[in-house]
Amino acid sequence: MGMASEDLLVTLQILPGFFSNCLFLALYDSVVLVKRVVSLLSCSRSAGSGEWRRMLTSAGLRSIWNSFLLDAYKQVKLGCVAPNSKLVKVPDVHRWSSSFSNMTNMPPGARIRIGDECRLLDFESSDRPLVVNFGSAT
């Protein structure tokens, strides 16, 4: 019963934002439709030509709903304990910058070898912030 009540609470928290997004998409679609009708009535073929792709579709609504669910059930919460995810040590470090490959900026307890298991918070230090760059391949 506890899980169902939690899901109901999350759903009730999500609904206002979801409906406001739906309202925005409906307004956007109506504005575009009015512009197309005006351009067709004024016989301006250049403005009225081309395909009009609606924004308020079932796929769009599912996408919005899923994004709200992902945000509601995310693991990281402001002011709470940070997750300590497992990391993978990449064997070919020579292709990265020299500051990363020689690991001079890491605290002594964080020096790892290929194959060693490590976690994200192994690299934290009290004298500097932990900056994580995920790159473009995530």
Side-chain angles (χ1 to χ4, degrees), residues 63-84:
S63 175
I64 292 169
W65 182 256
N66 288 335
S67 70
F68 274 99
L69 281 178
L70 281 173
D71 191 43
Y73 286 112
K74 66 184 172 188
Q75 184 182 8
V76 179
K77 301 286 184 189
L78 183 62
C80 295
V81 178
N84 195 11

Side-chain angles (χ1 to χ4, degrees), residues 62 75 94 96 131:
R62 271 193 307 275
Q75 184 182 8
H94 297 294
W96 305 104
V131 178

Side-chain angles (χ1 to χ4, degrees), residues 23 25 30-31 36 41 44 55 62 74-76 84 88 112-115 121 123 127-128 133:
L23 179 64
L25 293 178
S30 61
V31 167
R36 286 184 56 86
L41 292 176
S44 172
M55 298 293 289
R62 271 193 307 275
K74 66 184 172 188
Q75 184 182 8
V76 179
N84 195 11
V88 176
I112 57 171
R113 293 178 304 212
I114 297 171
L121 296 180
F123 298 96
D127 59 338
R128 63 176 171 75
N133 183 1

Side-chain angles (χ1 to χ4, degrees), residues 89 93 98-107 110-113 123:
K89 176 76 169 92
V93 294
S98 60
S99 65
F100 178 76
S101 62
N102 64 18
M103 297 185 175
T104 57
N105 294 333
M106 294 184 192
R111 297 184 190 276
I112 57 171
R113 293 178 304 212
F123 298 96

Side-chain angles (χ1 to χ4, degrees), residues 16-37:
F18 175 74
F19 284 133
S20 67
N21 276 297
C22 293
L23 179 64
F24 171 76
L25 293 178
L27 288 172
Y28 179 83
D29 280 350
S30 61
V31 167
V32 171
L33 181 63
V34 167
K35 282 184 177 181
R36 286 184 56 86
V37 168

Side-chain angles (χ1 to χ4, degrees), residues 56 72 101 134:
L56 189 63
S101 62
F134 291 101

